[in-house]
Amino acid sequence: MNFIATIQEEVANALLIHFECDVDSDSVLINTTKQEFEGDYTVVLFPFLKRAKASPDKLGQILGTHLEENTNMVSCFNIVKGFLNVSLSNSFWLDKLAVISTVENYGSLPQRSDKVLVEYSSPNTNKPLHLGHIRTILLGWSMAQILEKAGYQVTKTLIVNDRGIAICKSMLSWLKFGDNKTPASTGTKGDFLVGEYYVKFDQELAKEYTAWQNSDEGASTYEKLKKADDTIESFFKGFKNKYFNEHSALGSEVKAMLIKWEQGDEEVKTLWKTMNQWVYDGHDVTYEKLGIHFDKAYYESETYLTGKEIVLEGLKDETFYKADDGSIWVDLEDVGLDKKILLRSDGTSVYLTQDLGTADIRYEELGTEKMIYVVGDEQDYHFKVLFEIMKKLKRPYSKGLYHLSYGMIDLPTGKMKSREGTVVDADDLIEEVIQEAREGAKERGDVTQLPSEEQTAIFNNIGLAALKFFILKVNPKKRMIFNPADSVDMQGQTGPYIQNAFVRIQSIFRKSEEALPAAAFEDYQMVEVEKDLIKTLVNYPVVIEQAALQYDPSIIASYSYTLAKQYHKMYHDVRILTAETELAKTFRLHLSKTVGSILKSSLNLLGINVPDRM
RNA sequence: GGCUCCGUAGCUCAACUGGAUAGAGUACCUGACUACGAAUCAGGAGGUUGCAGGUUCGAACCCUGCCGGAGUCACCA
């Protein structure tokens, strides 16, 4: 099947036979030939010139002739400036299409026994999901699909940060200012309702802090602790944490609540459960709208204790050490990192503790030796540390850990900040793109006769395709800029553009009455646009492997765009149902059908569905 | 300040991991619907790849130094 490897081997063979050069066939670089030149694939000759002691033209001539004579696929070749361009024969490509069109699940890689876990989303239980979450969710979902296609057994998970001081803030705030309002009583989505009280807490705290700054105590603290270059403003900005921990009335109330929670206080736990459930219900609605789900959820509240045990064990076998105040640390200076705290002096856990526990629990339950964390790049350091600790603890899965680090999404106005109210809520954004799709479709009028539920499904489909493709087409590592005002495009390099190619294909098959004849078209002489499509189809498994290996869905995104683009061009350039000959028609119908199924398959890897009409 | 990442057309992104004249989309200008769906196709214009050196047959990519931006360096998560 892999003819590229065959070409590489033959080139290596020829070098050995004709020039006594022994080269590894893997090191023979084969590129797809650029559009401007004639040929399908290109052998780069430069690396062999010195060793073969031959000019590029002579070397190319000999290699090309060798390929012609020793493979049954090369039809001709040419040499341009050190590049050997070879063309594969018409029948070679026709064979490829015949095979691809009959293979079930084309593109799937052989099944492996490896189990992989993908973690994404990781929400807090005190606010709604926003644009940033959308990127993890889409990346995680897509990555899971890709890995499954690449043969892995995948479990999709999320970790919910359901405990800690932040959650207590919204709880306390609701108790104080909530008037017993519930999602049901107000008709507000649960995550938004809880989010309101979380924000409210910060506002009240800010008020309290301002008042304190103007009090005698505040003034004397400033005089006592200010540094030479401090202004009043800069001082109090820097002092904020300390104020919250040592002086704030609200602060001490919240901390008291956290302690009650840890002690299992009935009243606090009940409130905690109730409010968390409001948020989960809200988040579930958002996930549902996005068309994604999880196989299993983990909760920090259920894993942090295991984390503590791991830390204590590590202390026993001296992987970790205890400081004078009783806090427990790990020293990672031998691998170029810092010392990190794992357990506070009062015995409570920190962020790292929880992740240690979660990983162990997952491994025990699922046996996944590969775990992929889809988390923003602001946590690059955290994961470096986490993975090093696991190595030190000699966990069996420590070699299979990967942080799929993605860049933050910026707005044209700069960074999103929840405190400044510049976040884009996921729900709003989803509604917006669907609305956009709705208006676009209404204008075109192709679907307006359909029943309204069907229309709604189509609009959702198109809007989400636009949004998902827009985010997934960008390399995850890169920071990206998102302009919600322009919302998302539906033309050009977009999700709907690709969907449209699929819809056109469906439309053809609705119109063609006869059943598709058998794939007998050996004598058909293809035109360029048709061959280009087959070339792209042939590449599908390679692209999947690459995307899986590099943890990068954007590779799939650009692949499906290329395929759609080539199809649109062919559709425009040649007639299908009214083709010149029966042979051409048969060939094009088979080609169309295969392109359609690969478009569907590749979009599916991005979490995008294809409609039959739009 | 230390460490890490980033800088490509007006804008949003590519570039097969060191290969040919750096490609797409968008916006702008032109052309193509009585032809299988125009959410389409074709053409034009748009670049000193932040700057300066270096490495080699060849550099957006590797090395060095600047300039600009982001992240991180919490007993926050």
Side-chain angles (χ1 to χ4, degrees):
Chain A
M1 187 73 184
N2 192 346
F3 58 96
I4 299 281
T6 311
I7 297 177
Q8 287 177 314
E9 268 165 38
E10 283 309 324
V11 169
N13 256 339
L15 283 165
L16 192 60
I17 295 167
H18 298 284
F19 300 98
E20 290 167 14
C21 275
D22 191 6
V23 300
D24 188 2
S25 67
D26 287 345
S27 71
V28 177
L29 183 60
I30 312 266
N31 293 329
T32 52
T33 303
K34 292 214 161 198
Q35 223 24 267
E36 315 89 87
F37 300 96
E38 196 194 325
D40 297 322
Y41 294 95
T42 297
V43 183
V44 183
L45 300 174
F46 295 106
F48 314 119
L49 293 180
K50 265 190 193 160
R51 295 184 56 192
K53 296 200 183 83
S55 71
D57 279 351
K58 188 180 166 204
L59 183 65
Q61 202 65 40
I62 290 172
L63 293 183
T65 311
H66 179 95
L67 287 174
E68 262 181 345
E69 286 167 359
N70 292 281
T71 69
N72 51 10
M73 51 192 172
V74 174
S75 62
C76 63
F77 66 90
N78 64 78
I79 302 144
V80 184
K81 292 193 286 183
F83 296 90
L84 169 64
N85 303 321
V86 302
S87 301
L88 304 189
S89 68
N90 189 64
S91 64
F92 171 82
W93 293 116
L94 288 177
D95 280 354
K96 285 288 173 205
L97 177 62
V99 171
I100 294 169
S101 66
T102 51
V103 168
E104 194 91 10
N105 289 324
Y106 175 67
S108 297
L109 272 32
Q111 203 63 35
R112 305 158 168 266
S113 56
D114 312 39
K115 291 181 180 171
V116 187
L117 174 145
V118 184
E119 175 197 294
Y120 51 99
S121 188
S122 322
N124 294 323
T125 58
N126 52 19
K127 46 193 161 196
L129 300 171
H130 57 70
L131 179 52
H133 291 109
I134 288 188
R135 196 171 191 189
T136 34
I137 292 168
L138 297 181
L139 279 171
W141 177 263
S142 176
M143 216 44 245
Q145 299 298 110
I146 291 167
L147 289 168
E148 234 162 63
K149 189 86 177 162
Y152 292 95
Q153 299 178 40
V154 182
T155 307
K156 301 184 265 281
T157 69
L158 81 167
I159 176 84
V160 183
N161 302 305
D162 64 342
R163 61 173 282 278
I165 199 90
I167 280 82
C168 291
K169 284 182 185 175
S170 35
M171 283 159 63
L172 183 69
S173 173
W174 183 83
L175 279 180
K176 279 182 175 301
F177 315 109
D179 298 328
N180 279 313
K181 283 181 189 158
T182 68
S185 76
T186 57
T188 311
K189 203 162 161 270
D191 48 345
F192 280 83
L193 185 76
V194 173
E196 275 172 32
Y197 290 101
Y198 184 65
V199 171
K200 176 85 174 162
F201 181 90
D202 260 352
Q203 289 167 348
E204 292 298 322
L205 180 67
K207 266 192 232 165
E208 190 197 81
Y209 190 29
T210 310
W212 184 80
Q213 285 171 29
N214 297 323
S215 71
D216 294 345
E217 193 190 350
S220 68
T221 306
Y222 171 66
E223 288 304 327
K224 224 186 295 170
L225 298 175
K226 71 172 174 185
K227 294 194 186 96
D229 54 353
D230 263 333
T231 62
I232 293 191
E233 234 172 62
S234 75
F235 173 81
F236 281 115
K237 206 176 166 192
F239 192 73
K240 201 173 169 189
N241 260 330
K242 214 166 164 91
Y243 169 76
F244 178 78
N245 284 323
E246 293 171 13
H247 304 274
S248 164
L250 278 171
S252 63
E253 270 186 88
V254 170
K255 278 184 293 174
M257 192 178 226
L258 183 61
I259 290 169
K260 273 189 176 174
W261 183 92
E262 298 227 351
Q263 290 165 344
D265 180 278
E266 205 58 39
E267 220 171 296
V268 173
K269 284 268 173 165
T270 307
L271 176 63
W272 172 73
K273 275 185 194 156
T274 308
M275 288 184 70
N276 274 358
Q277 195 56 49
W278 292 349
V279 174
Y280 299 148
D281 292 345
H283 286 179
D284 283 347
V285 170
T286 309
Y287 294 139
E288 176 83 31
K289 277 195 218 163
L290 282 170
I292 68 107
H293 62 262
F294 302 89
D295 300 322
K296 188 145 180 43
Y298 289 88
Y299 299 89
E300 189 197 335
S301 59
E302 292 167 1
T303 63
Y304 80 105
L305 291 173
T306 308
K308 275 191 194 180
E309 285 165 26
I310 295 169
V311 173
L312 294 175
E313 277 165 35
L315 182 65
K316 225 181 272 171
D317 65 24
E318 296 184 352
T319 311
F320 309 137
Y321 68 92
K322 195 176 246 187
D324 294 340
D325 65 355
S327 55
I328 300 176
W329 295 71
V330 61
D331 185 349
L332 295 170
E333 281 171 2
D334 53 331
V335 289
L337 304 172
D338 297 319
K339 297 186 171 90
K340 272 290 188 186
I341 188 161
L342 298 173
L343 222 49
R344 295 189 190 103
S345 52
D346 62 4
T348 56
S349 65
V350 296
Y351 185 33
L352 269 167
T353 328
Q354 152 215 323
D355 270 350
L356 288 170
T358 310
D360 256 23
I361 290 176
R362 284 169 174 170
Y363 180 70
E364 272 165 36
E365 285 184 5
L366 305 166
T368 47
E369 296 204 353
K370 275 169 84 86
M371 303 196 203
I372 297 163
Y373 296 82
V374 185
V375 181
D377 63 5
E378 56 191 356
Q379 292 190 34
D380 282 357
Y381 189 73
H382 168 78
F383 281 100
K384 255 191 208 169
V385 170
L386 180 68
F387 295 169
E388 282 303 330
I389 293 175
M390 286 171 172
K391 269 189 214 159
K392 278 196 191 299
L393 290 171
K394 302 195 174 58
R395 287 301 190 258
Y397 51 80
S398 63
K399 280 184 196 143
L401 297 166
Y402 183 80
H403 174 204
L404 203 178
S405 162
Y406 63 87
M408 301 285 106
I409 297 187
D410 288 321
L411 302 176
T413 46
K415 213 188 156 173
M416 279 197 295
K417 287 182 183 147
S418 44
R419 251 172 262 149
E420 291 169 22
T422 54
V423 280
V424 176
D425 284 316
D427 291 342
D428 296 348
L429 184 59
I430 292 166
E431 277 318 309
E432 214 170 291
V433 289
I434 291 173
Q435 188 53 32
E436 196 107 344
R438 181 187 299 272
E439 277 159 28
K442 286 257 161 78
E443 232 168 77
R444 292 182 181 87
D446 292 316
V447 295
T448 41
Q449 334 60 328
L450 298 173
S452 78
E453 314 87 74
E454 225 170 294
Q455 285 189 42
T456 305
I458 290 171
F459 303 146
N460 284 357
N461 214 326
I462 300 171
L464 283 174
L467 177 61
K468 290 178 178 181
F469 192 84
F470 188 88
I471 288 174
L472 288 175
K473 74 173 181 184
V474 181
N475 184 322
K477 277 182 288 199
K478 290 214 176 182
R479 238 185 143 83
M480 65 180 290
I481 298 175
F482 187 92
N483 190 345
D486 295 356
S487 199
V488 180
D489 286 335
M490 310 256 168
Q491 273 154 20
Q493 195 176 32
T494 67
Y497 173 95
I498 302 167
Q499 288 179 317
N500 187 227
F502 181 83
V503 165
R504 283 179 144 179
I505 293 168
Q506 300 315 297
S507 171
I508 286 174
F509 282 100
R510 273 197 298 272
K511 292 215 162 77
S512 120
E513 280 128 31
E514 322 104 69
L516 186 60
F521 37 72
E522 297 86 18
D523 300 325
Y524 178 66
Q525 187 60 47
M526 284 182 288
V527 295
E528 199 66 28
V529 280
E530 294 164 338
K531 188 169 88 175
D532 286 343
L533 273 167
I534 299 180
K535 260 196 239 180
T536 305
L537 291 174
V538 163
N539 216 18
Y540 189 44
V542 180
V543 166
I544 287 170
E545 190 177 12
Q546 218 184 340
L549 228 54
Q550 297 180 20
Y551 302 102
D552 184 357
S554 75
I555 295 173
I556 302 289
S558 86
Y559 174 84
S560 41
Y561 172 67
T562 305
L563 187 60
K565 187 180 158 90
Q566 286 175 340
Y567 188 79
H568 276 308
K569 180 160 172 56
M570 171 192 131
Y571 183 91
H572 189 267
D573 286 1
V574 305
R575 314 261 323 133
I576 297 169
L577 289 173
T578 52
E580 319 83 77
T581 63
E582 268 311 298
L583 188 59
K585 181 177 165 185
T586 306
F587 169 79
R588 284 172 194 158
L589 282 174
H590 271 96
L591 184 56
S592 297
K593 185 169 162 272
T594 310
V595 169
S597 81
I598 303 305
L599 283 175
K600 184 175 178 176
S601 160
S602 61
L603 283 182
N604 181 52
L605 295 180
L606 302 174
I608 297 173
N609 294 319
V610 282
D612 286 333
R613 301 165 199 267
M614 63 193 283

